[in-house]
């Protein structure tokens, strides 16, 4: 069986540390592992439009930005096919057939979709396209017969629903065309990186992120206003480590685990100030993000070249999706002219 990795991002903004630890790092590692027959990375511009229909410019503006973020973290176009969702009409056609395999109540029950409808304040006025994006996302993956999706924890319910589509398609038409999809989660603690405000996951829409393109000054400012323990007022006071964003980030990014453990003990006992900790975290994050930013600046010099990569990727991706669509129609018995 072919091993095919597929993953993507919505071009609703530049990519941040949450994307980096929750998905990008993993996908670059998988891309370089040599374990996969094919690697696809999709910029989901159509999905982004489902809740930004009134602002296509925002989506358009972020396509090249996201592509540059990819290149900066090590996505390699000689190993991965990077493309735009809107460039592959076969996905939309497959989505149409998949919509017949899913009920309204199933879509409504999807916890990720439910939470997002609430978070965006849509209520009953949710756009139909957004409401059914869980189905189109299954088409995104299955158009390439994807078997592995490296992503954060929020994607679990979406992969579950996609696997139900695989099963129903198998029962109705052909059990061999699509294989079950495996969600490849990042290492523990990184499935859902908290935002700098400590309130929810780091997210483009919540404005609580540190971006891969942020410069040194901005990173430092963001670290300095990071949420810690609100009751830790004087340096001498004992402080709380749980829910303290600075420690969450040190746990993830600081390579010196012994140092972090001893700082935690000091903080809990009292006598360690937030500013000192934040300075350390700032150093750690600057170290991690500097090479990424520098690579990004190189690619940013030539945006036309970046768009060319997407155009070329689209050409290749479309060939694969066309074969899948043809096979899907054959198994449904509606490929009348064998195209
Ligand atoms: P939006 O607010 O537009 O939904 P987002 O910040 O949630 O944007 P997406 O493009 O929806 O980002 O997510 C892309 C990928 O990044 C997904 O695989 C998702 O699981 C992962 N991801 C996003 N935010 C985080 C986070 N804070 N921690 C870990 N993974 C994340
Ligand atoms: Mg999201």
């Amino acid at each position: 069986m072919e091993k095919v990795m597929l993953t993507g991002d919505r071009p609703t903004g530049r990519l941040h540390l949450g994307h980096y630890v929750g998905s990008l790092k993993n996908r670059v590692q998988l891309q370089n592992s040599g374990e996969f027959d094919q690697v696809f990375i999709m910029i989901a511009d159509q999905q982004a439009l489902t809740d930004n229909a009134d602002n296509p410019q925002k989506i358009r503006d972020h396509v090249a930005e996201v592509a540059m973020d990819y290149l900066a973290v090590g996505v390699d176009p000689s190993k991965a096919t990077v493309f735009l969702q809107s460039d592959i009409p076969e996905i939309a056609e497959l989505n149409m057939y998949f919509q017949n395999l899913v009920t309204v109540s199933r879509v409504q029950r999807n916890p990720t979709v439910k939470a997002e409808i609430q978070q965006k304040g849509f209520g009953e006025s949710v756009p139909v396209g957004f409401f059914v994006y869980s189905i189109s996302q299954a088409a995104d993956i299955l158009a390439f017969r994807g078997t592995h999706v490296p992503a954060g924890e929020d994607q679990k319910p979406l992969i579950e629903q996609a696997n139900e589509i695989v099963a129903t398609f198998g029962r109705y038409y052909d059990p061999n065309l699509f294989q079950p999809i495996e969600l490849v989660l990042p290492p523990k603690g990184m499935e859902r990186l908290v935002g700098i405000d400590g309130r929810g996951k780091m997210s483009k829409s919540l404005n609580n992120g540190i971006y891969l393109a942020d410069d040194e000054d901005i990173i430092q400012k963001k670290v300095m206003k990071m949420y810690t323990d609100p009751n830790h007022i004087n340096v001498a006071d004992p402080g709380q480590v749980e829910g303290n964003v600075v420690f969450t980030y040190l746990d993830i990014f600081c390579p010196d685990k012994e140092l972090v453990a001893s700082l935690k003990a000091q903080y809990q006992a009292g006598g360690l100030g937030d500013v000192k900790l934040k300075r350390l975290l700032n150093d750690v994050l600057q170290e991690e993000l500097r090479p990424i930013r520098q690579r990004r600046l190189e690619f940013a010099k030539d945006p036309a070249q970046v768009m060319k990569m997407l155009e070329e990727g689209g050409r290749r991706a479309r060939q694969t999706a066309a074969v899948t669509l043809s096979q899907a129609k054959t198994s449904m018995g509606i490929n009348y002219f064998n195209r």
Side-chain angles (χ1 to χ4, degrees), residues 10 12 19 47 112 116 119-120 133 154-155 201-205:
R10 296 154 39 96
T12 48
H19 298 115
Q47 188 188 118
T112 302
E116 285 173 340
Q119 184 208 318
K120 293 173 201 286
Y133 92 75
D154 57 325
Q155 297 298 309
K201 78 156 196 167
M202 186 178 284
S203 161
K204 295 183 216 115
S205 320

Side-chain angles (χ1 to χ4, degrees), residues 177-316:
L177 183 55
F178 301 121
Q179 305 304 315
I181 304 158
E182 196 180 306
L183 175 64
V184 185
L185 284 172
K188 265 209 119 23
M190 306 188 196
E191 307 95 327
R192 195 173 182 278
L193 185 73
V194 67
I196 58 169
D197 56 1
R199 275 201 237 152
K201 78 156 196 167
M202 186 178 284
S203 161
K204 295 183 216 115
S205 320
L206 299 177
N207 198 21
N208 60 1
I210 293 178
Y211 289 85
L212 300 179
D214 280 348
D215 67 27
E216 235 172 284
D217 262 15
I218 293 179
I219 295 170
Q220 190 183 7
K221 283 198 183 101
K222 287 180 176 175
V223 171
M224 288 305 160
K225 66 175 202 199
M226 216 172 244
Y227 180 85
T228 56
D229 171 4
N231 299 317
H232 184 240
I233 295 161
N234 302 306
V235 174
D237 294 341
Q240 197 165 334
V241 166
E242 295 78 29
N244 186 319
V245 180
V246 176
F247 277 111
T248 307
Y249 284 34
L250 281 174
D251 273 334
I252 293 175
F253 296 103
C254 184
D256 189 344
K257 301 298 168 207
E258 270 175 41
L259 174 66
V260 177
S262 81
L263 290 172
K264 279 184 183 170
Q266 262 188 65
Y267 195 81
Q268 283 166 324
L272 178 58
D274 281 356
V275 173
K276 202 168 163 192
L277 269 182
K278 285 179 170 176
R279 283 209 188 106
L280 170 68
L281 178 62
N282 181 54
D283 290 344
V284 167
L285 289 182
Q286 299 287 1
E287 196 73 19
E288 181 96 31
L289 290 172
R290 191 175 304 114
I292 296 176
R293 185 175 55 246
Q294 278 166 356
R295 279 171 59 90
R296 200 184 188 283
L297 284 171
E298 283 305 306
F299 292 112
K301 284 183 188 157
D302 194 354
Q305 190 60 34
V306 173
M307 291 310 287
K308 218 167 157 180
M309 167 191 80
L310 294 178
E311 191 181 357
E312 180 45 37
R315 223 189 318 272
R316 273 185 289 166

Side-chain angles (χ1 to χ4, degrees), residues 38 47 131 147 161 186 210-211 265 278 323 333:
Q38 291 190 80
Q47 188 188 118
F131 182 65
T147 55
Q161 202 187 308
I210 293 178
Y211 289 85
K278 285 179 170 176
V323 172

